[in-house]
Amino acid sequence: MIILKYPLIQNILYSVICWFFMLASASSQEDKHDFDGFVFSALSNGNIDGVYVTLLQGSDSLLITSSRTKDGGRFRFRSISSGNYVLLLEKVGYASKTSNVTIPMLDTFLDTIYSVTPSHAIDTVSIAAKKLVSVKGDTIEYFGDNYQQHEGSKVEDLIKQLPGLTVDNKGNIKAYNEDVKKVLVDGEEFFGDDPTLVTRNIRSNMVNKIQLYDRKSKVSDFTGQEDGFREKTLNVELKESARKGYFGEIGGGIGTDHFFNSDANINRFKGKQKSSAYAKYSNIGLNNLNKLVTKILPTIDDSRTDIDIEKGIPTIFNSGIHFDDKWNENANAINTDYQFRRYNVKGLESSEIRNNINSDQGFLNSTNTDFNYINADHQIKAKYEFQPDSSLYGHIDLDFVLNDYLHERNNISSNLLRPANSVLSEGEFSNYMTGNNSNIYLDILINKKLNNEGRLITMGFLTYNFQNKSTENFLFNAITYDLENNSQQSNISNQRRHDNHYERQNKLFFSFTEKLGKFYLNFLQELKFVDQRKDYQTIFNIPQDEDYFGAAVLTKDYALNYIHHTSGLAVNSNIGKSILNGGVKFLNLKYGRFDHTTQDLKRENLTYFLPQAFYRYDFSTLHNFKVDVRSDVSMPLLLQVNPLITNNDPFNVLSGNTDIKPATNYNIDLDYLKADMFTGKVLQVIGRGNKVTDPIIPVINIRDGITYTSFVNEFQNDNYNYSLTLATGRQYLQPNIQATILLKYEKNKYLSLVNDIQNITRSASWSLGGNFKAISKDRFDINIDLNTALNNDEYETSESTDDRYFIWNGNLESKYFITPRLRLYSNLSWLHYGQSLLIDRSFNRFLWNAGAEYKIIRNGNLTGEISCNDILNQNLGFSRSVEDNRLIQRSFTAIPRYIMLSLKWKFEKFNN
């Protein structure tokens, strides 16, 4: 076990454990009492079940705990400290009642709750006095000032305290195990879809409340009709005083081994008008402010231009400006962003890829790469919305990205081994690639209500995507083959390639909605035109004097285009607590492939029947059940169709197949949630299923040390993936303690052909995870994550091979407030991948980061910090995954140990 190998870690963990036991022992000696009671009504002369009973601190009305009456109106609170409290009684249909109580006390009959008429019935369940949370319709509201906030804390620190919400170290937010897709400020987008630009930028003391709800589509909001679209959303509602003024911060740090960090931001809010700017320059790999989020999703796949800032040592410059405003009584709104990012990532990467065929035909491919990636991009986003009256709504949405890149891979060595570890091939080569691409997205939408109630026209037109990419690719390689007949063959190649890719998408759609009683009928017509084209020129054996005369030149120009014509009919209804949406789409697909070099043309006309259904039943706001069934068509990528061999890598040669047809996806989602905001109990069941018919599968052949890959449709067998997740949790509010347990089972099946043998890869995973967090104001914040998983991968070829290994990981994040001006923090994380049958080595990593922050000025506007990253100097990047019949294991450079001194100055000025 990794912990036992490091005595220092043992001592640290023993100290932490002893500290917890002493704290628990001290707490257990406090004067604690149980408090019992029951509630009755003089009107009915009977006890009442289902009354919300809330215990508030007498001095400041902070929530201590809460419960409901049951079993004849009885309630019980355990382990309550001695003192004065306020007891709040609430039940829909009755007036609220408060009583002052002192603990300890004998079991007491409380004052009567009297009945009121339905017209005065309580329709919102909420906590009186200093409210922590309230439920209004389908929206949950968390009141910021009534949660524990430390000086200088951000919105993210506040969210971590809220029941049902979690935040990972990258800033991603989950609400009841569902991803939060949008984080808004006063109902408006703030720097697009990157939540960290809100949660790590805005201070928590500016927040009036945070609202959690399922955001409907614009069409649904406008018409009041349910279309089944819901998007988990957080809205940060600012205090009125925070909407008039400016605030920001400037900070920087200098570390050992040339590590540094600097960032600045300024925000100005004036009523409905918000403007913001930020800049960051760093090489310590912080996840803050580093995402490129765009609506542009081109289907041309060329992962060579991707960049992963979590690999290697990243130097990042990231900046942006934002402006949004509403006017004319909110009838008009504009939201704009400009962002510039430049990433430079350097490092080393080693990979091992085990191609498993059967016991005597497996291959191990190991590669070592020295990489240097540079990406720079400009992005402009602008959205204009207009609603001159209640019958008309429209928007114009623009997204533009311009990107330049340089990717260099040097001293690449690669070895392909037979099962007996004898060398089949080995070689070294270098790759140098530069290029640029531009993307533009334009969406125009209009909704118009007609005179008849429920009659609506929706038109979307000139939705247009464009991508243009030009790349120069330099490749130098030297390969030595050790062939089966013990002969050797050498190949030295010097190539240059000029590539041009582009894709255009144009979509027009029209829908008409008519109300029939309690139902809405929706008719849809949609036309989508897609044109993809790739032309490139390869020049072989370039002389040193760059004179192309006599060099072999290969030119290829290939295009893929298709026209989608979709006709749809759907029925929507929202009756009582039920939402129903169901229908069918008929897709006619004109599918063409054209070789501009040979003038070879292939055309097909295909038809698909695509059912859709959605049902949701709301027992209450946080008690619901929903099922969502969807189907769609997946078009092949251009690289899967293009028949010309792609030779970017001398050991891995790719060629397409012009006979490939689209695959069909069928998806089903099942969700059940039952949560109680007052008792803190949560029960959740999540089911996901996906089936792919006629899947596009890889055909892999390994010959003479080279892996050749192409693609075909598998018409006799399907790919699938399904998972089932069970989650339960509980929260106690004084002190703020939350605990969650999650159990998940996932299984998938993927098909491939390897050396003319059909391979079926079945992967199954059992995982058990837990989260515990405790917050005590001005004392400590503790967050613990523990996860373990058992992976079982089965490769079925001419014989079956099972591969099992364990994964366990965890994280202990803690903050300790020693004095009002001094804060200590620590982050321990550990990762273990067990030994695999195919790759017989395990991986262990234990990381410890720690630091101290001191308020140089008492109000906290100027702070100093000392921190140490990776104290034990163990950081190494690692990943393991299963693709087709291959187990892929990678290790790569990660940010090592350093010590950093930092200063941060915060400023603000508000009109009040």
Side-chain angles (χ1 to χ4, degrees), residues 231-291:
E231 190 174 60
K232 194 66 72 177
T233 301
L234 279 181
N235 179 46
V236 179
E237 182 182 295
L238 301 178
K239 298 175 182 175
E240 191 63 35
S241 60
R243 296 172 180 166
K244 300 176 181 179
Y246 64 85
F247 66 97
E249 60 186 37
I250 301 173
I254 300 176
T256 57
D257 296 325
H258 307 289
F259 284 98
F260 64 91
N261 179 50
S262 61
D263 61 84
N265 69 76
I266 183 170
N267 308 270
R268 180 179 179 272
F269 294 167
K270 185 179 179 181
K272 297 176 182 179
Q273 188 180 101
K274 294 188 287 291
S275 55
S276 179
Y278 75 88
K280 180 180 180 64
Y281 186 40
S282 170
N283 67 350
I284 60 175
L286 292 178
N287 291 297
N288 192 11
L289 308 181
N290 64 11
K291 295 184 179 180

Side-chain angles (χ1 to χ4, degrees), residues 140-393:
I140 303 170
E141 295 184 336
Y142 306 92
F143 296 88
D145 279 344
N146 300 331
Y147 285 87
Q148 301 175 21
Q149 298 185 36
H150 306 292
E151 186 69 37
S153 64
K154 301 297 177 65
V155 170
E156 181 175 284
D157 301 304
L158 175 59
I159 292 174
K160 289 179 179 180
Q161 302 182 49
L162 305 183
L165 300 183
T166 59
V167 185
D168 66 18
N169 58 3
K170 296 181 181 179
N172 300 311
I173 305 169
K174 285 183 179 290
Y176 298 99
N177 296 304
E178 185 177 344
D179 291 332
V180 173
K181 302 294 186 181
K182 294 279 188 181
V183 177
L184 310 177
V185 177
D186 287 337
E188 298 298 322
E189 292 186 7
F190 192 79
F191 276 114
D193 296 327
D194 184 355
T196 62
L197 292 169
V198 176
T199 60
R200 294 180 177 177
N201 200 9
I202 296 178
R203 303 179 191 177
S204 61
N205 61 7
M206 298 173 56
V207 176
N208 177 37
K209 56 189 175 183
I210 293 179
Q211 298 171 319
L212 172 66
Y213 59 96
D214 289 327
R215 189 187 193 192
K216 301 177 183 179
S217 67
K218 280 292 185 181
V219 174
S220 182
D221 265 340
F222 177 69
T223 63
Q225 304 171 25
E226 288 287 352
D227 57 8
F229 176 86
R230 295 291 182 100
E231 190 174 60
K232 194 66 72 177
T233 301
L234 279 181
N235 179 46
V236 179
E237 182 182 295
L238 301 178
K239 298 175 182 175
E240 191 63 35
S241 60
R243 296 172 180 166
K244 300 176 181 179
Y246 64 85
F247 66 97
E249 60 186 37
I250 301 173
I254 300 176
T256 57
D257 296 325
H258 307 289
F259 284 98
F260 64 91
N261 179 50
S262 61
D263 61 84
N265 69 76
I266 183 170
N267 308 270
R268 180 179 179 272
F269 294 167
K270 185 179 179 181
K272 297 176 182 179
Q273 188 180 101
K274 294 188 287 291
S275 55
S276 179
Y278 75 88
K280 180 180 180 64
Y281 186 40
S282 170
N283 67 350
I284 60 175
L286 292 178
N287 291 297
N288 192 11
L289 308 181
N290 64 11
K291 295 184 179 180
L292 171 61
V293 182
T294 176
K295 299 181 178 70
I296 301 164
L297 298 172
T299 56
I300 293 178
D301 180 26
D302 193 343
S303 59
R304 295 177 300 135
T305 64
D306 292 343
I307 184 169
D308 187 350
I309 61 172
E310 295 185 5
K311 291 182 179 179
I313 308 297
T315 301
I316 302 171
F317 178 77
N318 197 332
S319 61
I321 56 176
H322 169 85
F323 176 80
D324 71 79
D325 193 11
K326 288 183 176 181
W327 66 94
N328 196 18
E329 297 182 350
N330 297 335
N332 302 86
I334 189 170
N335 193 304
T336 61
D337 298 314
Y338 167 75
Q339 290 176 280
F340 171 73
R341 311 168 188 83
R342 187 182 188 276
Y343 305 151
N344 182 198
V345 182
K346 298 179 180 180
L348 301 172
E349 180 177 13
S350 298
S351 64
E352 295 182 69
I353 303 175
R354 172 70 71 175
N355 290 278
N356 183 63
I357 303 174
N358 53 43
S359 59
D360 62 350
Q361 289 191 14
F363 296 92
L364 177 64
N365 188 353
S366 59
T367 304
N368 297 294
T369 306
D370 176 4
F371 60 86
N372 179 25
Y373 300 149
I374 299 174
N375 268 35
D377 54 74
H378 301 264
Q379 182 175 21
I380 297 173
K381 290 184 177 182
K383 187 173 185 179
Y384 171 68
E385 297 180 276
F386 57 92
Q387 188 171 351
D389 55 56
S390 60
S391 67
L392 179 65
Y393 166 82

Side-chain angles (χ1 to χ4, degrees), residues 367-612:
T367 304
N368 297 294
T369 306
D370 176 4
F371 60 86
N372 179 25
Y373 300 149
I374 299 174
N375 268 35
D377 54 74
H378 301 264
Q379 182 175 21
I380 297 173
K381 290 184 177 182
K383 187 173 185 179
Y384 171 68
E385 297 180 276
F386 57 92
Q387 188 171 351
D389 55 56
S390 60
S391 67
L392 179 65
Y393 166 82
H395 73 231
I396 302 173
D397 197 354
L398 172 70
D399 190 347
F400 174 75
V401 176
L402 180 65
N403 172 263
D404 292 288
Y405 58 87
L406 183 155
H407 292 184
E408 185 176 9
R409 298 186 299 165
N410 293 309
N411 302 320
I412 300 175
S413 62
S414 183
N415 294 280
L416 188 63
L417 305 179
R418 297 186 185 93
N421 288 330
S422 59
V423 177
L424 185 60
S425 68
E426 60 184 3
E428 293 185 359
F429 62 96
S430 298
N431 178 275
Y432 181 86
M433 178 172 60
T434 62
N436 61 80
N437 60 70
S438 60
N439 306 271
I440 188 169
Y441 171 99
L442 180 63
D443 174 21
I444 302 176
L445 176 73
I446 293 178
N447 293 313
K448 174 63 178 177
K449 294 178 182 178
L450 302 181
N451 292 333
N452 289 19
E453 180 185 358
R455 185 173 293 175
L456 171 75
I457 291 177
T458 300
M459 294 180 292
F461 54 95
L462 202 59
T463 302
Y464 174 68
N465 297 340
F466 173 76
Q467 181 185 25
N468 188 331
K469 180 162 49 181
S470 177
T471 303
E472 293 184 350
N473 183 11
F474 300 84
L475 179 65
F476 310 89
N477 63 72
I479 307 172
T480 301
Y481 296 103
D482 182 4
L483 303 176
E484 295 288 346
N485 57 10
N486 293 323
S487 64
Q488 293 185 355
Q489 177 181 346
S490 297
N491 180 16
I492 299 176
S493 180
N494 187 348
Q495 301 178 17
R496 174 170 295 176
R497 282 187 36 174
H498 301 277
D499 295 359
N500 289 283
H501 303 181
Y502 71 80
E503 175 177 350
R504 295 188 180 97
Q505 294 188 23
N506 295 276
K507 183 171 69 173
L508 306 171
F509 69 89
F510 172 87
S511 72
F512 175 77
T513 303
E514 181 71 27
K515 185 177 180 181
L516 298 176
K518 296 183 178 181
F519 296 89
Y520 292 87
L521 283 179
N522 179 266
F523 303 90
L524 172 69
Q525 289 291 317
E526 179 180 292
L527 274 175
K528 181 179 179 182
F529 305 88
V530 179
D531 184 18
Q532 303 174 29
R533 186 170 177 176
K534 177 177 180 179
D535 66 87
Y536 45 87
Q537 182 186 71
T538 303
I539 306 170
F540 298 93
N541 302 319
I542 300 174
Q544 291 185 357
D545 59 5
E546 298 288 331
D547 183 0
Y548 291 176
F549 180 76
V553 178
L554 175 65
T555 301
K556 193 67 177 178
D557 188 351
Y558 199 82
L560 171 66
N561 55 73
Y562 45 90
I563 301 174
H564 285 235
H565 178 203
T566 303
S567 300
L569 174 64
V571 179
N572 304 326
S573 73
N574 186 359
I575 302 175
K577 298 181 177 182
S578 296
I579 300 170
L580 176 64
N581 179 283
V584 63
K585 292 181 179 180
F586 298 93
L587 172 62
N588 178 256
L589 176 63
K590 299 184 184 299
Y591 175 40
R593 290 86 80 199
F594 182 60
D595 190 328
H596 288 268
T597 306
T598 64
Q599 299 299 303
D600 183 31
L601 174 64
K602 286 189 176 183
R603 285 180 177 172
E604 291 183 83
N605 197 343
L606 306 172
T607 303
Y608 296 88
F609 174 82
L610 304 172
Q612 321 282 326

Side-chain angles (χ1 to χ4, degrees), residues 553-696:
V553 178
L554 175 65
T555 301
K556 193 67 177 178
D557 188 351
Y558 199 82
L560 171 66
N561 55 73
Y562 45 90
I563 301 174
H564 285 235
H565 178 203
T566 303
S567 300
L569 174 64
V571 179
N572 304 326
S573 73
N574 186 359
I575 302 175
K577 298 181 177 182
S578 296
I579 300 170
L580 176 64
N581 179 283
V584 63
K585 292 181 179 180
F586 298 93
L587 172 62
N588 178 256
L589 176 63
K590 299 184 184 299
Y591 175 40
R593 290 86 80 199
F594 182 60
D595 190 328
H596 288 268
T597 306
T598 64
Q599 299 299 303
D600 183 31
L601 174 64
K602 286 189 176 183
R603 285 180 177 172
E604 291 183 83
N605 197 343
L606 306 172
T607 303
Y608 296 88
F609 174 82
L610 304 172
Q612 321 282 326
F614 176 85
Y615 177 74
R616 173 175 174 141
Y617 185 83
D618 291 302
F619 302 93
S620 61
T621 300
L622 285 175
H623 187 192
N624 56 63
F625 168 78
K626 59 184 178 182
V627 56
D628 189 6
V629 178
R630 306 176 308 280
S631 56
D632 55 40
V633 172
S634 293
M635 297 300 299
L637 301 174
L638 181 58
L639 64 83
Q640 295 173 328
V641 177
N642 192 342
L644 184 68
I645 292 176
T646 303
N647 55 348
N648 301 313
D649 184 340
F651 295 113
N652 296 280
V653 178
L654 178 69
S655 62
N657 178 2
T658 59
D659 293 325
I660 287 180
K661 295 183 172 50
T664 307
N665 295 297
Y666 299 93
N667 300 277
I668 181 170
D669 296 346
L670 298 171
D671 294 89
Y672 174 78
L673 172 66
K674 184 178 182 181
D676 191 316
M677 296 301 302
F678 291 89
T679 64
K681 295 179 181 179
V682 177
L683 174 64
Q684 192 169 15
V685 182
I686 304 171
R688 298 288 183 266
N690 168 258
K691 178 182 177 182
V692 183
T693 60
D694 304 334
I696 300 171

Side-chain angles (χ1 to χ4, degrees), residues 4 58 97 124 194 221 248 257 288 315 359 367 403 620 659 704 712 766 798-799 819 860-861 865:
L4 300 180
K97 181 72 175 179
T124 299
D194 184 355
D221 265 340
D257 296 325
N288 192 11
T315 301
S359 59
T367 304
N403 172 263
S620 61
D659 293 325
D704 297 333
V712 297
W766 283 97
S798 57
E799 59 186 52
T819 70
N861 285 348
E865 182 178 352

